Amino acid sequence: MKFKATLKIAVSLIISMYWKACMASNKIAVSVDPPTNLQILDPGYLGHLHITWQPPASLENVKNCSVRFQLQYFSTSEGRWVTIRTKNFNYSAQFDLGKEVQVKIQTLLRGQCSNGTDVLSLPAEKTVLPSRNGSSESKIKDFRCIFYYREYMECTWVKGNEVQPQSEYFLFYWHNGMDQAMECPKYIKSNGFNVGCNFSSKELVEFAEFNICVNGSSAKSPMRAAYFTLKPQNLVKPAALEILNLTATDNEKILLEWTPPTGKIPKHCLEYEVQYGREDREWMNHIIKETTFAIVSIDQSEKHCFRLRSRMNMFCADSEVWSDWSNIQCFPGVMKEKDTASEAVLFSVLAATTIVLFTVFLCLLIRKRMFKPKGIKDISLLGVESSQN
């Protein structure tokens, strides 16, 4: 009986080891080919590219497995590889056409045919090099866009270092919903040349990529194009705050109140930075969401000054654009009684002294004019006549 039990256990162990070996061999044996016909297509959307591919022909013989594709592309804006898994044969992504476009695609199997594990093919890769037309020094610099009050956006630039005198720049833009890229609706000019572009709110779209290309033309040499991708809601600059009210209470508190800035920005999308302090001390900062701010336990006889600005908060945008500072407003303060009395005495003494000095000066001036002697010439003549007599 013991022998039969031992034999049974031994057979079970052998079968188990054999099964595991078979499973391991099956895992090793399963493989898949990479996708074919990988392409990167440019529809003219200033960096919004279409990536397409085809599944490998060998997938026709694969059963009991799901087929997906693992796409990787290098995002220059994030500085990293982005991974996407999809069942489709195409994908669209944003790229900077001034830099290399790098894409990888792999076939991904999972299911019974792969023993429940992920099986990836080798990658199919494609790289598109940027255009090198024109000197890099001919490209614009200091490009900046501000979306003022959510009413209009201005984008400005400075010409490149190597630009011919009569060269001109042109701006083109595209966002999702446009059939094709369009030229700037209204250029900003300086000395007759384009130095910026003005967009009305109807030409913008928020919470989506807004692509811009600024290229140029020159009679002597080509000019390098510059590409930018923006999100207008992150560039909103509120109007400066104008209506500020300061009031003092009996419990040693100064209350600052204000009205939200004008424009199309919802009130709940704003946050405020208050700067306050005495004139002889450094400013202190405080960021709040309300439209009131109070400082307590202060000496109201001292002068306290305030100013503030606003920006879009994190719930409505990813913005670092602050409005201009408001004008500084100060609580004027009330003199203490002893200070008032001492100043009154000092003022009286100074006034009396001034009156006395002015009176003495006036008397001396009058005396000098009344008793002024004749000229030296007349005196000498009188002396000569007396001697002759």
Side-chain angles (χ1 to χ4, degrees):
M1 294 293 293
K2 291 183 178 180
F3 174 77
K4 289 183 179 180
T6 304
L7 181 61
K8 188 174 182 180
I9 293 172
V11 171
S12 298
L13 289 173
I14 292 173
I15 293 173
S16 176
M17 293 174 61
Y18 178 77
W19 174 254
K20 291 181 179 179
C22 289
M23 293 292 291
S25 63
N26 285 338
K27 289 181 181 179
I28 297 173
V30 174
S31 64
V32 63
D33 294 327
T36 61
N37 197 26
L38 174 61
Q39 296 186 63
I40 302 174
L41 307 176
D42 185 356
Y45 296 159
L46 311 180
H48 189 78
L49 305 181
H50 295 333
I51 306 167
T52 64
W53 61 90
Q54 294 295 326
S58 58
L59 285 180
E60 296 179 358
N61 300 322
V62 175
K63 298 180 180 180
N64 301 321
C65 262
S66 63
V67 179
R68 289 182 294 170
F69 302 96
Q70 179 168 288
L71 171 70
Q72 291 181 298
Y73 64 91
F74 188 78
S75 172
T76 53
S77 61
E78 300 180 28
R80 64 181 182 90
W81 286 91
V82 177
T83 301
I84 302 294
R85 288 187 174 183
T86 178
K87 294 181 178 180
N88 300 324
F89 304 148
N90 57 78
Y91 188 81
S92 296
Q94 185 65 36
F95 295 89
D96 183 350
L97 296 185
K99 300 177 181 179
E100 283 188 353
V101 176
Q102 303 176 66
V103 174
K104 300 177 182 179
I105 186 73
Q106 295 170 275
T107 308
L108 173 63
L109 289 183
R110 186 171 190 177
Q112 294 182 9
C113 70
S114 62
N115 300 318
T117 61
D118 290 345
V119 177
L120 278 171
S121 70
L122 294 174
E125 302 182 35
K126 197 171 187 66
T127 300
V128 178
L129 299 177
S131 172
R132 298 300 182 187
N133 289 335
S135 166
S136 60
E137 293 298 314
S138 66
K139 184 168 63 174
I140 64 166
K141 57 184 180 179
D142 298 339
F143 183 79
R144 187 188 184 199
C145 294
I146 298 293
F147 193 6
Y148 291 96
Y149 332 132
R150 287 186 73 232
E151 294 179 358
Y152 66 94
M153 184 171 76
E154 286 187 354
C155 296
T156 58
W157 60 80
V158 176
K159 67 179 181 179
N161 295 329
E162 296 180 2
V163 178
Q164 300 298 323
Q166 299 303 315
S167 301
E168 184 64 286
Y169 290 104
F170 303 95
L171 180 145
F172 295 86
Y173 70 100
W174 178 89
H175 58 72
N176 190 20
M178 296 176 62
D179 295 331
Q180 60 183 4
M182 301 289 290
E183 190 173 357
C184 168
K186 183 180 180 182
Y187 283 110
I188 302 170
K189 293 183 175 289
S190 176
N191 298 323
F193 293 95
N194 299 335
V195 296
C197 180
N198 188 301
F199 299 92
S200 65
S201 58
K202 68 179 182 180
E203 291 150 348
L204 303 174
V205 58
E206 298 184 56
F207 303 100
E209 293 163 342
F210 190 87
N211 295 343
I212 290 177
C213 171
V214 181
N215 56 24
S217 64
S218 173
K220 293 188 177 181
S221 60
M223 298 168 65
R224 183 75 60 88
Y227 296 90
F228 307 92
T229 298
L230 314 172
K231 291 188 177 180
Q233 77 275 3
N234 295 335
L235 305 172
V236 173
K237 181 176 182 177
L241 294 156
E242 297 180 353
I243 304 176
L244 282 70
N245 295 316
L246 280 174
T247 55
T249 62
D250 296 334
N251 55 351
E252 297 183 338
K253 180 170 70 173
I254 294 180
L255 180 64
L256 173 66
E257 300 175 287
W258 60 91
T259 301
T262 58
K264 298 181 179 179
I265 305 174
K267 295 179 181 179
H268 68 271
C269 284
L270 289 169
E271 65 181 6
Y272 304 92
E273 182 179 16
V274 182
Q275 281 192 343
Y276 61 97
R278 286 174 17 188
E279 287 185 312
D280 57 347
R281 295 183 181 179
E282 294 183 359
W283 289 97
M284 292 180 285
N285 296 60
H286 199 76
I287 295 179
I288 59 174
K289 295 181 176 60
E290 298 79 18
T291 56
T292 60
F293 179 75
I295 54 175
V296 297
S297 301
I298 62 170
D299 187 350
Q300 293 184 7
S301 65
E302 296 179 341
K303 194 172 186 179
H304 292 81
C305 297
F306 300 81
R307 68 174 183 174
L308 69 155
R309 59 182 182 173
S310 63
R311 71 175 176 185
M312 297 275 281
N313 61 40
M314 61 181 294
F315 301 104
C316 296
D318 183 16
S319 177
E320 294 295 331
V321 184
W322 287 96
S323 71
D324 296 330
W325 285 105
S326 67
N327 293 328
I328 296 176
Q329 291 200 10
C330 300
F331 183 76
V334 179
M335 289 291 184
K336 296 179 182 178
E337 292 184 1
K338 62 178 181 180
D339 295 336
T340 304
S342 61
E343 286 196 3
V345 172
L346 179 61
F347 178 80
S348 300
V349 172
L350 289 175
T353 304
T354 303
I355 292 172
V356 171
L357 291 175
F358 180 78
T359 302
V360 172
F361 173 78
L362 186 61
C363 291
L364 292 174
L365 182 63
I366 294 173
R367 180 182 178 83
K368 183 177 180 180
R369 290 186 177 182
M370 291 178 62
F371 297 100
K372 180 179 180 181
K374 293 183 179 181
I376 297 175
K377 183 177 180 179
D378 297 333
I379 296 174
S380 61
L381 288 175
L382 289 171
V384 172
E385 290 176 357
S386 61
S387 63
Q388 288 177 356
N389 293 332

